[in-house]
Amino acid sequence: MRRLLLLASLAMCSSIAASAQEVTADDLAMDIPVMQEVAASAGIDHQYLGPWEFFVGGGAASFDCNGDRFPDLILAGGTSETQLYVNRSEAGGALKFESRAIDVNPSDLENVTGLYPIDIDNDGFRDVVVLKVGRNLVLKGGPDCSFTNASREFAFDGGRAWSTAFAATFEDAQIFPTLAIGNYVDRSAPGSPWGTCHDNQLMRPQNSEKPDYGAPEALSPGYCALSMLFTDWDHSGHPDLRVSNDRQYYRDGGEEQMWRIDAGKAPRLYRRSDGWRRMTIWGMGIAEGDIDADGFPEYALTSMGDTKLQTLDLEADEGRPVYRDIAFERGATAHRPYTGDDLKPSTGWHSEFADFNNDGRLDLFIAKGNVERMPEFAAYDPDNLLLGQFDGSFVEVGHRAGIDLDRRGRGAVVTDFNMDGMLDLLVVNRGGPASLFRNLGGRAGDRARPMGNWLEIELQQKGANRNAVGATILVKSGNETRVRKVQVGGGHASGHSGFIHVGTGVAERANIRIQWPDGEWSPSYRVFANNFVVIRKGDDAAQYWYP
Amino acid sequence: MRYDRFLPLSLALALAITGAAGAADPWSEKAVSQHIDQRDYTGTLDAARLKALIDAGEALFVAKYTTGDGAGRPMATQAIIPTKRKRPVEQAFQRMQGMDANACSSCHNDPVIGAAADFSANVFVSEGFGNADFDSADPQFSNERNPNHLMGAGLVELLAREMSADLQRQRNEAIRRAKSSGAQQTVRLVAKGVDFGVLTIHPDGIVDLTGLDGIDTDLVIRPFSQKGVMTSLRQFTINALNDHLGMQADERFGARWTGEADFDEDGLDREITAGDVSALVAWQASRPPPVTRTPENDEWRALAGEGRARFDEFGCAECHRPALPLESLAFSDPGPLDAAGTLRLGEGEEGAVYDLALLDWAKTLPKDDQGRVLVPLFGDLKRHKIADRQIATLGNELLAQRFVERDIFMTSELWGIASTAPYGHRGDLTTLAEVILAHGGDARKSRDRYANAGEDDRRALIAFLKTMEIPE
């Protein structure tokens, strides 16, 4: 009955939203990116498969594993093969990938749900945390896309849970990152699957000489996490851990969670007395983006039905996380398919803010797809591309962009695979081929035109945390400031590491300031748009990189 | 002068044939009765089409824009990036924050349309991103500038394009060498004989930019404005139309980039079309270059000859290079170096090419033994430090502009200098002698040689400079 009431209310909201959203993609003057699906020609042949345990997951990791700065890929296969694709694209040219074997024990790469890249041991090679149905592991990266299983070396106990979420941060003065693992249903518990969510884990480094995760802490209760993210939500400089949970399986007291993470202290949940408002959704993915560049990020939470777009409420304060949902007023609910005849609610998974059309506004991508023949939810459920408009609202252009395929999306990567300044998109689909969309530029009739200006920024620091996880990037042009965070986590089972993309619209130059993870502010770096910028902590000037 | 009265016959005929609406009543208070359609001017224009576009551009250049055309920007600042005011401006015209002119020719008219102006036409340069009222009410928040002339501007832009392409080619080849050899490369960047410093390139493609000299880090020579911060006539035109006239070009201020068709909220949209900008660009690009005349007066002629030699001996020619060679007179519009917000190839219609060789003045330009046109600009299209502790007159600005510090300016092209007094960035030096003596910084040695020279040598140099005229 509750489900029926919810659906009725969703349908009502749908009609209101449809009438409230006056602007359609056909009316837009702004650039709609042409996203051309090229997986087959690019050499990507991949599916995410498996029974019930693999209805969720389906992630991808994107990072440079061979030192050419072009993002390579590892795709989770579920019961199918987990595959490594080395990027062979030419700058500005067609997307090309070469399949490469990962030289580890084949069983290490079985039953993989998700993957996140991060340089754990500070050796300059990104490692990969592999989430599995079963024993998770760490693939230690080496030269030329070589990997070894480093779980034993790092005292990383992969456990036997069904893992579906991951995030990482470098806590104060720590040499190695703190890892958070999100787990789903405990299938061995009595009464499973209902009300038997597994605890999540916080793995803090125990040793300053080498990675040692031998003393994990339970984050209990767990409510069947499908996404988690360390986020400095109150601009305090100390990120907390936000967890999005699937109400499908949790029971009494289950809700969205945020753990307060203080260095050296046990994590504790934010409670009602802290201002945290109970929210129960089929939480699948978290995206963070500071839409209005006020230093306090917004969050897109995917679910079944409405996507939530949360912003800090006026009642909020430091240490007091009070959020309100602005998805409806901003046209970002994305609650049902925007094309086709299926009016049932959508099922959202990976979410990510990024500027697909380089107009300087953050857009929102959401991977969509029925869980597995759930009749109450849309069967044809195309992925969303919600373009950020100049008035702060969003408008759906997925069909005009060309990403409205009849596939069941799960994890995704939004990055510039061919280094042309325009963001491409890879979507891992359940039970179907992975989609790879090349961004060709703004739609102009039957061709594509150049879009706005852009920057791509890489941060480097010596010693620990080489890739500056936790840093804030401010890109200022005129009165506009664009904010990006270097993060590991969020989305749905998928992460990428490398250049951070920023669209700058008509600004041909910008001042970049970095707040490094230790809180230190950089000088202002003067850069010209349409360049790849490399900023090393302590340097007086930025450098450019050319592909 | 109203634009409809200025319509060239060919264009008027074209409009009549296409049945274009909007023919203005003779008493209309609009300066522009018909916008230029970019689609009418694509590909390489023949002489007639080029002339038609140039004529249309002149009409737009001299037009005194009215509110009926879209003059005024009550809710937009003068900023290059579309920027809203916090509140409507109290007075539409205001000398500091603009708008501050009625026509392009208001400040480019001495001694001919398209040339410069005296101190009374000075403009104020501030970026317009802060509180516009506050910024411009206090002179410390703006730099005062005397207008430059636009004669020969097409040749200047072509030189800058060729030099930029050459420098970027040198960089890219060095990157290829570094990557293929695995060894760090250092490349000295020289274009048309002008040295722009060094780049250090690491084998992984990372480029150390700290050795660059007098050029932006993207190796784009921006030849326009006294600061050398404007890439193209097209970019500068769009900026100036908004700043000085409150006329907003659709290609930057339109809905594509701002979400609003009428960004300045003056009740009119599409105030300036891409075709209008192209016409203005074609007109400016086709301005005949200044000349070095041979004086009829025997004494002046002899002195000028002496002065030309002193020009080299004092070291003036190190920066004020007498001529730079130009490979091609084909001026493509849009150009190759503009960024989003200024029309680029691939946006809208096919671009146009204005073959400047079709113009009569082009036939008078000297050529070198390789057939290249020698553009007698007396400049190097490079920025230099022009002030020091003792000689600080030309470092008199209060603000840096677009990453360029306050004491650094683009070498002024000296062609036409006899016709463009007053001198200095602010136009506050009334004689050539004064402006020569104001050179500090990188030009200090040359300045001192002049200052320490005998009266005859100094007189000879001035006599030479006085031969560089804009023909009337």
Side-chain angles (χ1 to χ4, degrees):
Chain A
M1 184 62 191
R2 285 166 64 185
R3 173 72 65 86
L4 282 176
L5 282 173
L6 177 72
L7 292 175
S9 67
L10 283 173
M12 194 184 306
C13 288
S14 302
S15 60
I16 295 169
S19 59
Q21 190 171 306
E22 296 173 356
V23 177
T24 69
D26 292 336
D27 302 326
L28 287 180
M30 66 201 301
D31 284 327
I32 297 173
V34 178
M35 306 295 287
Q36 183 183 39
E37 208 287 317
V38 297
S41 63
I44 300 284
D45 180 11
H46 178 84
Q47 295 200 36
Y48 181 70
L49 300 172
W52 177 57
E53 289 90 341
F54 303 96
F55 287 5
V56 298
S62 173
F63 60 105
D64 172 29
C65 63
N66 57 2
D68 65 1
R69 285 191 164 78
F70 280 67
D72 306 300
L73 278 170
I74 303 182
L75 307 182
T79 55
S80 181
E81 188 182 2
T82 292
Q83 291 178 286
L84 165 64
Y85 287 99
V86 178
N87 192 338
R88 300 298 188 200
S89 308
E90 293 286 334
L95 303 188
K96 289 287 178 192
F97 288 86
E98 174 190 320
S99 180
R100 176 91 68 87
I102 304 174
D103 189 19
V104 295
N105 189 324
S107 66
D108 289 344
L109 298 178
E110 291 173 353
N111 300 324
V112 174
T113 59
L115 306 128
Y116 286 86
I118 178 175
D119 182 1
I120 291 175
D121 55 353
N122 303 314
D123 65 352
F125 299 104
R126 288 174 176 86
D127 313 305
V128 182
V129 174
V130 182
L131 305 177
K132 298 177 62 172
V133 179
R135 190 169 297 280
N136 301 324
L137 67 133
V138 176
L139 290 179
K140 177 175 158 55
D144 193 25
C145 298
S146 59
F147 296 94
T148 55
N149 184 339
S151 295
R152 183 182 298 274
E153 179 183 343
F154 293 172
F156 176 91
D157 179 0
R160 283 182 293 204
W162 175 0
S163 298
T164 43
F166 177 78
T169 187
F170 284 78
E171 293 189 77
D172 290 350
Q174 290 293 333
I175 304 297
F176 303 108
T178 292
L179 315 178
I181 306 278
N183 296 318
Y184 204 49
V185 173
D186 182 352
R187 293 159 298 158
S188 62
S192 178
W194 316 108
T196 59
C197 296
H198 214 294
D199 284 348
N200 301 316
Q201 280 185 310
L202 189 71
M203 303 174 118
R204 285 172 150 154
Q206 302 297 307
N207 189 318
S208 61
E209 300 298 317
K210 63 174 187 171
D212 177 355
Y213 294 101
E217 302 168 63
L219 294 171
S220 183
Y223 291 132
C224 292
L226 285 177
S227 186
M228 55 203 329
L229 184 67
F230 283 102
T231 177
D232 185 10
W233 62 274
D234 59 351
H235 203 50
S236 65
H238 301 282
D240 293 323
L241 180 63
R242 181 145 193 170
V243 187
S244 197
N245 297 312
D246 184 2
R247 65 176 288 177
Q248 185 75 12
Y249 293 118
Y250 62 67
R251 286 294 175 260
D252 297 338
E255 60 175 334
E256 294 291 283
Q257 294 171 302
M258 186 155 72
W259 293 89
R260 180 171 176 131
I261 307 293
D262 290 316
K265 294 183 181 177
R268 78 161 180 84
L269 274 172
Y270 281 96
R271 297 179 287 257
R272 233 61 83 227
S273 57
D274 299 313
W276 183 251
R277 290 173 176 170
R278 175 180 166 82
M279 185 169 70
T280 60
I281 59 173
W282 291 275
M284 311 283 203
I286 306 175
E288 173 182 327
D290 193 351
I291 296 172
D292 51 5
D294 64 352
F296 300 98
E298 280 69 42
Y299 302 92
L301 306 173
T302 55
S303 180
M304 301 170 84
D306 293 31
T307 297
K308 304 295 182 187
L309 181 60
Q310 291 193 321
T311 192
L312 274 182
D313 191 84
L314 290 174
E315 292 179 27
D317 205 343
E318 187 169 341
R320 187 171 170 77
V322 186
Y323 281 90
R324 62 188 174 89
D325 182 15
I326 57 171
F328 181 75
E329 66 192 64
R330 298 293 182 98
T333 52
H335 49 282
R336 67 181 182 193
Y338 50 85
T339 185
D341 298 327
D342 195 336
L343 301 182
K344 293 174 185 172
S346 273
T347 307
W349 300 88
H350 185 91
S351 56
E352 189 160 343
F353 287 103
D355 187 353
F356 282 82
N357 59 356
N358 288 341
D359 67 350
R361 265 68 191 163
L362 278 174
D363 311 313
L364 177 60
F365 167 78
I366 303 172
K368 289 282 185 67
N370 195 295
V371 173
E372 185 73 4
R373 292 192 288 275
M374 288 183 75
E376 305 98 323
F377 291 85
Y380 168 53
D381 196 2
D383 302 337
N384 298 95
L385 181 52
L386 292 152
L387 290 189
Q389 302 191 91
F390 292 90
D391 63 359
S393 66
F394 292 85
V395 61
E396 178 63 59
V397 300
H399 52 313
R400 295 287 304 277
I403 64 166
D404 54 338
L405 306 184
D406 186 8
R407 294 177 180 173
R408 284 178 286 161
R410 291 293 188 269
V413 169
V414 181
T415 195
D416 180 4
F417 286 115
N418 60 347
M419 298 300 189
D420 61 359
M422 298 185 287
L423 288 172
D424 308 303
L425 170 67
L426 176 123
V427 185
V428 177
N429 295 302
R430 172 170 165 76
S435 309
L436 178 64
F437 298 95
R438 179 184 172 193
N439 188 338
L440 295 173
R443 184 171 294 286
D446 57 357
R447 58 188 179 81
R449 65 182 177 184
M451 301 192 293
N453 301 317
W454 53 271
L455 287 164
E456 298 199 30
I457 302 161
E458 175 186 300
L459 302 185
Q460 298 178 0
Q461 54 181 7
K462 292 178 179 170
N465 192 8
R466 289 181 173 222
N467 301 308
V469 174
T472 303
I473 301 171
L474 302 182
V475 178
K476 189 170 189 300
S477 299
N479 282 353
E480 297 276 1
T481 299
R482 281 108 191 172
V483 184
R484 299 290 189 273
K485 295 288 289 191
V486 182
Q487 290 175 307
V488 179
H492 183 75
S494 305
H496 62 88
S497 177
F499 280 105
I500 303 285
H501 173 275
V502 184
T504 65
V506 298
E508 65 169 6
R509 64 193 81 199
N511 285 285
I512 299 176
R513 288 193 77 197
I514 309 299
Q515 187 174 27
W516 294 95
D518 63 3
E520 181 181 324
W521 280 99
S522 77
S524 182
Y525 297 105
R526 296 165 163 180
V527 300
F528 282 84
N530 308 323
N531 278 298
F532 296 88
V533 177
V534 177
I535 296 174
R536 297 182 304 196
K537 188 180 181 188
D539 279 4
D540 292 330
Q543 298 176 311
Y544 292 162
W545 172 80
Y546 292 89
Chain B
M1 183 176 296
R2 286 230 327 271
Y3 173 37
D4 59 322
R5 292 180 187 160
F6 216 88
L7 275 181
L9 184 60
S10 57
L11 183 60
L13 186 61
L15 294 176
I17 290 170
T18 55
D25 295 320
W27 56 88
S28 170
E29 292 202 288
K30 291 175 67 174
V32 179
S33 61
Q34 186 74 42
H35 291 290
I36 305 301
D37 190 335
Q38 183 77 46
R39 292 171 295 187
D40 295 336
Y41 297 94
T42 58
T44 300
L45 305 188
D46 61 23
R49 300 298 293 159
L50 180 57
K51 182 176 186 312
L53 191 62
I54 290 170
D55 288 347
E58 178 159 328
L60 289 165
F61 195 85
V62 302
K64 287 186 177 176
Y65 295 92
T66 73
T67 52
D69 301 306
R73 44 178 170 82
M75 284 303 292
T77 77
Q78 68 273 34
I80 287 176
I81 300 171
T83 303
K84 286 282 189 184
R85 291 183 189 277
K86 292 193 174 79
R87 53 188 172 276
V89 65
E90 285 189 14
Q91 294 176 319
F93 285 91
Q94 211 266 21
R95 286 307 302 271
M96 290 187 175
Q97 71 195 32
M99 57 180 184
D100 56 0
N102 303 100
C104 305
S105 58
S106 301
C107 303
H108 296 283
N109 56 31
D110 179 18
V112 297
I113 301 297
D118 69 18
F119 189 86
S120 64
N122 276 9
V123 296
F124 295 85
V125 179
S126 62
E127 294 196 315
F129 293 130
N131 183 317
D133 298 339
F134 176 70
D135 278 3
S136 57
D138 186 335
Q140 74 171 303
F141 289 99
S142 63
N143 296 323
E144 185 177 359
R145 299 266 177 82
N146 188 234
N148 282 337
H149 75 75
L150 297 165
M151 312 310 288
L155 298 172
V156 171
E157 181 164 343
L158 287 175
L159 283 169
R161 290 181 188 179
E162 288 186 0
M163 293 169 77
S164 300
D166 192 14
L167 295 170
Q168 292 175 4
R169 178 190 56 75
Q170 294 172 43
R171 176 196 64 202
N172 295 341
E173 286 179 358
I175 290 170
R176 275 193 289 275
R177 285 197 304 274
K179 286 185 175 179
S180 62
S181 68
Q184 179 176 298
Q185 303 284 315
T186 298
V187 58
R188 179 158 290 282
L189 298 168
V190 179
K192 298 192 189 296
V194 181
D195 188 327
F196 291 94
V198 297
L199 287 177
T200 303
I201 296 158
H202 301 282
D204 63 355
I206 287 184
V207 177
D208 183 336
L209 307 158
T210 54
L212 288 175
D213 182 20
I215 189 172
D216 290 324
T217 51
D218 56 359
L219 304 188
V220 172
I221 290 178
R222 294 179 164 84
F224 297 117
S225 83
Q226 294 178 348
K227 208 70 171 174
V229 290
M230 297 299 167
T231 306
S232 65
L233 289 169
R234 191 165 194 108
Q235 183 194 29
F236 187 81
T237 297
I238 294 167
N239 299 346
L241 283 168
N242 176 62
D243 184 352
H244 302 302
L245 306 174
M247 294 291 293
Q248 299 204 314
D250 204 42
E251 68 192 71
R252 180 166 321 144
F253 295 89
R256 181 183 178 198
W257 298 118
T258 65
E260 299 175 55
D262 177 20
F263 183 74
D264 58 9
E265 300 183 37
D266 62 359
L268 290 171
D269 55 21
R270 291 178 59 77
E271 295 169 2
I272 294 287
T273 65
D276 295 339
V277 179
S278 297
L280 282 161
V281 169
W283 186 79
Q284 293 170 85
S286 63
R287 290 309 83 212
V291 299
T292 301
R293 67 178 285 195
T294 303
E296 294 175 4
N297 178 300
D298 292 342
E299 183 183 4
W300 183 5
R301 189 167 63 245
L303 261 184
E306 287 294 315
R308 177 66 185 81
R310 298 296 90 72
F311 188 82
D312 288 345
E313 290 166 17
F314 292 159
C316 309
E318 290 175 17
C319 297
H320 296 288
R321 304 221 172 187
L324 294 176
L326 181 64
E327 304 280 350
S328 170
L329 288 171
F331 187 102
S332 60
D333 182 36
L337 297 172
D338 277 309
T342 301
L343 195 69
R344 295 162 293 175
L345 278 176
E347 292 180 297
E349 305 306 316
E350 178 193 352
V353 176
Y354 316 140
D355 183 0
L356 303 186
L358 295 172
L359 303 171
D360 289 342
W361 56 257
K363 300 173 177 61
T364 67
L365 293 171
K367 294 186 177 179
D368 66 9
D369 55 6
Q370 299 173 49
R372 300 179 299 180
V373 168
L374 292 172
V375 180
L377 77 169
F378 286 86
D380 61 359
L381 300 182
K382 179 180 174 181
R383 290 193 293 250
H384 299 271
K385 186 173 166 56
I386 196 64
D388 56 42
R389 186 172 293 278
Q390 292 81 27
I391 307 294
T393 305
L394 292 179
N396 55 7
E397 293 200 329
L398 294 160
L399 294 177
Q401 185 186 2
R402 295 166 200 254
F403 300 172
V404 184
E405 300 304 333
R406 47 200 286 277
D407 54 357
I408 293 176
F409 288 84
M410 177 71 86
T411 302
S412 293
E413 293 96 37
L414 297 184
W415 58 357
I417 196 166
S419 306
T420 57
Y423 306 112
H425 314 121
R426 192 166 169 265
D428 52 4
L429 301 170
T430 60
T431 67
L432 289 166
E434 287 168 352
V435 73
I436 294 170
L437 291 172
H439 280 57
D442 294 349
R444 181 64 184 275
K445 286 182 182 172
S446 299
R447 175 258 181 208
D448 287 350
R449 288 188 198 110
Y450 171 81
N452 296 328
E455 173 63 22
D456 288 348
D457 287 338
R458 293 206 302 269
R459 205 158 59 102
L461 183 65
I462 301 298
F464 165 63
L465 295 174
K466 282 288 189 181
T467 64
M468 292 199 272
E469 294 181 347
I470 294 172
E472 296 184 45

